[in-house]
C-alpha cells in the first residue's frame, strides 16, 4: 500500500478532530453547546469549565481512537468504518456538554425575568446578501466542456472503461462503454452543481438573526458572513467540477499518466475545501460573530429570544409556527432546516430518491 492510501484514510480523522475541537469556540457567544445563554452570562466560570472539559475529553478520546485506527489501518473496513465512530464520539461529547449547560441554565435561571426581543430588519432582503448567481456559469461551462470532450473521444474509447478508482489511484471497477457509463461523470457534475446551488439559495433565504443590542452592527456582520460563505459555495462547486472533469478526461484518454493524477485528485478537492471551510469558520464565526466592525458596541442592553424549546438537543430545529425553511445552526457554522415545514421533507425525499437513482445507475453500469 502506498503513502497516498494512508493519507487518504487519515485526512478525514484529522479534519473531524479539528472541527470537533474548534466548534464550541466559533458559535455565537449566546449559544453554548446548543443552549441559549444571555450574553452577560456566556463567560460564566462554570460555562468555561464545561467547555474545557469537553475539549480535553474530546481530544483525549479522539487521539486514543486514532492510535487504534493507525494500528488497524491495513484493514480498510475498520479504517473507513472508524470515521463514523469518530463522528458518534463527537456527538456523544457534545450531548454531554449540552445537557450540562442546559442544567446549569435552569439552575441559575439566567433567562428568568428577562425581556426578550426579536429584531427583524424589513430592508434586509434589499441588501446584497450573496454573490451573483452568475458565478455558477463557471460550473455549467465546465460541465459542457466535459460533455464535449466525451463526445469527441467516444469513438476511440475501448469497449470497457474504468469508472471507479481505489484509494491508491488504481481502477477497481470497469463498465462497458455506453452513453450512461461514459457520461456518468457529467451526470454527477450536474447533480453536484444543483446541490451546491441549493446550498447557495439556502444562504440567501435563511432566516435573519440579529442581535437586539447592536442591530445595525449585527446586520452588517451577517451580510458579510453570507457573502463570504456564498463565495465559498461557488468556489467549492467550481473546484468539484474541475476535479470531476479531470477524472473524466483521464477515463476518456484525453490525459495521459492517469494513475498518478487520479491518486492526487482523490485527495486534493476534499482537503482544499475542508481547510478553506475551517479557516473561514474561524475567521467569521457563526453568523459573522467573529467579524470585526470598528464601531461595535458589546454592551448587553437586552436579551434575544430564548427559543430552546424548538431545538431538539440543540441540533434539530422544529418550529411549526416559524415559516422560515432555513435557520442558523446552533452547533457549528452554517445553516440547517426547519424540520416542521412539509416542503423540507419533500426536499429530503427528493434527495434520497436522487441518491438511490444514482446508486442504481452505478450498479447497472458496472454489470
Amino acid at each position: 500500500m502506498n503513502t497516498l492510501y494512508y493519507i487518504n484514510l487519515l485526512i478525514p480523522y484529522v479534519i473531524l478532530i479539528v472541527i470537533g475541537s474548534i466548534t464550541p469556540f466559533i458559535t455565537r457567544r449566546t449559544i453554548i453547546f446548543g443552549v441559549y445563554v444571555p450574553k452577560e452570562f456566556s463567560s460564566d466560570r462554570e460555562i468555561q469549565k464545561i467547555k474545557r472539559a469537553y475539549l480535553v475529553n474530546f481530544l483525549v478520546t479522539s487521539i486514543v481512537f486514532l492510535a487504534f485506527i493507525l494500528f488497524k489501518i491495513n484493514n480498510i473496513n475498520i479504517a473507513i468504518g472508524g470515521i463514523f465512530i469518530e463522528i458518534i464520539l463527537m456527538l456523544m461529547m457534545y450531548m454531554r456538554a449540552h445537557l450540562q449547560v442546559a442544567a446549569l441554565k435552569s439552575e441559575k435561571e439566567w433567562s428568568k425575568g428577562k425581556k426578550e426581543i426579536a429584531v427583524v430588519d424589513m430592508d434586509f432582503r434589499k441588501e446584497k446578501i450573496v454573490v451573483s448567481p452568475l458565478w455558477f456559469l463557471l460550473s455549467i461551462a465546465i460541465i459542457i466542456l466535459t460533455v464535449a470532450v466525451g463526445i469527441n473521444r467516444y469513438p476511440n474509447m475501448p469497449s470497457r472503461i474504468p469508472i471507479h478508482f481505489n484509494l491508491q489511484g488504481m481502477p477497481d471497477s470497469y463498465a462497458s462503454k455506453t452513453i450512461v457509463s461514459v457520461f456518468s461523470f457529467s451526470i454527477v457534475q450536474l447533480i453536484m452543481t444543483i446541490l451546491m446551488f441549493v446550498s447557495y439559495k439556502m444562504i440567501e433565504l435563511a432566516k435573519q438573526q440579529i442581535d437586539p443590542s447592536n442591530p445595525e452592527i449585527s446586520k452588517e456582520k451577517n451580510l458579510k458572513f453570507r457573502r463570504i460563505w456564498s463565495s465559498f459555495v461557488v468556489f467549492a462547486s467550481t473546484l468539484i467540477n474541475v476535479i470531476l472533469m479531470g477524472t473524466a478526461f483521464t477515463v476518456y484518454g484525453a490525459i495521459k499518466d492517469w494513475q498518478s493524477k487520479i491518486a492526487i485528485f482523490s485527495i486534493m478537492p476534499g482537503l482544499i475545501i475542508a481547510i478553506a471551510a475551517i479557516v473561514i469558520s474561524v475567521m467569521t464565526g457563526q453568523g459573522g460573530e467573529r467579524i470585526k466592525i470598528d464601531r461595535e458596541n458589546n454592551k448587553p442592553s437586552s436579551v434575544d429570544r430564548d427559543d430552546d424549546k424548538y431545538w431538539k438537543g440543540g441540533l434539530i430545529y422544529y418550529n411549526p409556527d416559524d415559516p422560515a425553511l432555513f435557520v442558523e445552526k446552533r452547533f457549528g457554522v452554517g445553516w440547517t432546516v426547519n424540520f416542521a415545514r412539509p416542503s423540507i421533507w419533500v426536499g429530503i425525499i427528493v434527495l434520497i430518491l436522487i441518491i438511490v437513482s444514482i446508486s442504481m445507475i452505478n450498479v447497472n453500469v458496472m454489470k
Side-chain angles (χ1 to χ4, degrees):
M1 295 185 183
N2 59 27
T3 303
L4 288 173
Y5 168 84
Y6 296 110
I7 294 175
N8 259 314
L9 287 178
L10 291 178
I11 283 176
Y13 289 97
V14 175
I15 290 173
L16 285 172
I17 291 173
V18 171
I19 291 174
S21 300
I22 68 173
T23 297
F25 305 96
I26 58 177
T27 56
R28 287 184 177 272
R29 280 188 294 170
T30 54
I31 303 297
I32 314 295
F33 292 105
V35 179
Y36 172 76
V37 175
K39 189 184 295 184
E40 59 266 38
F41 302 115
S42 61
S43 297
D44 181 86
R45 185 172 59 85
E46 291 297 319
I47 290 288
Q48 299 308 310
K49 182 179 178 181
I50 293 173
K51 282 187 174 182
R52 287 193 299 270
Y54 163 87
L55 182 59
V56 171
N57 292 335
F58 174 72
L59 284 175
V60 170
T61 304
S62 296
I63 291 172
V64 170
F65 183 65
L66 182 58
F68 168 77
I69 293 298
L70 286 171
F71 181 70
K72 295 286 188 177
I73 198 165
N74 288 331
N75 186 320
I76 187 67
N77 293 325
I78 292 179
I80 294 179
I83 295 173
F84 298 98
I85 296 177
E86 176 65 26
I87 293 172
I88 292 172
L89 288 173
M90 182 166 62
L91 288 175
M92 289 173 61
M93 298 294 177
Y94 161 80
M95 284 306 303
R96 181 186 179 190
H98 170 79
L99 294 174
Q100 288 175 334
V101 174
L104 183 64
K105 176 184 175 181
S106 176
E107 177 188 340
K108 297 198 173 185
E109 300 182 330
W110 280 331
S111 293
K112 185 176 182 180
K114 298 286 186 179
K115 182 180 180 181
E116 298 180 5
I117 301 175
V119 176
V120 177
D121 190 319
M122 302 305 294
D123 295 326
F124 188 83
R125 298 294 167 188
K126 297 178 183 179
E127 302 281 354
K128 182 183 178 182
I129 299 176
V130 292
V131 298
S132 172
L134 294 178
W135 283 106
F136 279 94
L137 291 177
L138 286 172
S139 294
I140 299 300
I142 294 168
I143 296 173
I144 293 173
L145 178 59
T146 306
V147 172
V149 172
I151 292 173
N152 177 261
R153 302 287 301 188
Y154 190 88
N156 301 319
M157 292 182 197
S159 59
R160 290 184 64 79
I161 59 173
I163 59 170
H164 189 271
F165 303 84
N166 62 24
L167 295 177
Q168 301 175 64
M170 298 293 294
D172 56 8
S173 293
Y174 290 83
S176 299
K177 185 180 74 173
T178 64
I179 296 296
V180 175
S181 64
V182 170
F183 295 102
S184 59
F185 294 100
S186 297
I187 295 172
V188 174
Q189 282 180 311
L190 180 60
I191 292 172
M192 290 302 299
T193 301
I194 291 173
L195 291 177
M196 297 306 284
F197 187 73
V198 170
S199 298
Y200 165 90
K201 294 301 291 184
M202 176 187 289
I203 295 172
E204 181 181 20
L205 300 175
K207 179 181 179 180
Q208 56 176 293
Q209 188 168 329
I210 298 177
D211 183 353
S213 63
N214 284 299
E216 290 300 321
I217 298 297
S218 180
K219 172 186 173 182
E220 186 176 342
K221 285 185 172 188
N222 195 255
L223 287 171
K224 287 185 177 181
F225 174 72
R226 295 187 192 221
R227 287 194 289 268
I228 290 171
W229 277 102
S230 62
S231 299
F232 169 79
V233 170
V234 170
F235 163 75
S237 177
T238 305
L239 178 60
I240 290 170
N241 277 291
V242 167
I243 296 302
L244 287 170
M245 178 179 67
T247 305
F249 284 2
T250 61
V251 171
Y252 300 161
I255 297 179
K256 304 301 180 182
D257 188 25
W258 54 266
Q259 181 178 334
S260 61
K261 291 181 174 61
I262 288 293
I264 295 174
F265 287 167
S266 66
I267 298 175
M268 294 309 295
L271 183 60
I272 292 173
I273 290 172
I275 291 175
I278 290 171
V279 170
I280 294 173
S281 296
V282 173
M283 291 176 59
T284 66
Q286 177 62 308
E289 184 92 352
R290 297 170 69 91
I291 296 175
K292 300 299 182 183
I293 303 294
D294 292 338
R295 60 186 187 280
E296 185 173 358
N297 174 18
N298 291 319
K299 183 180 179 181
S301 58
S302 55
V303 177
D304 201 355
R305 190 175 64 170
D306 185 345
D307 56 356
D308 284 356
K309 63 182 178 181
Y310 298 118
W311 286 90
K312 314 306 178 184
L315 298 173
I316 298 174
Y317 185 65
Y318 189 93
N319 184 357
D321 298 324
D322 188 349
L325 296 176
F326 312 114
V327 297
E328 285 186 9
K329 291 179 181 178
R330 280 200 160 192
F331 190 67
V333 173
W335 294 265
T336 185
V337 299
N338 181 1
F339 285 94
R341 309 311 305 169
S343 54
I344 292 299
W345 288 102
V346 172
I348 292 173
I349 293 172
V350 170
L351 180 60
I352 293 174
L353 290 175
I354 289 173
I355 294 172
V356 171
S357 299
I358 293 174
S359 300
M360 292 177 65
I361 290 173
N362 287 337
V363 170
N364 291 329
V365 163
M366 289 187 289
K367 285 182 179 179

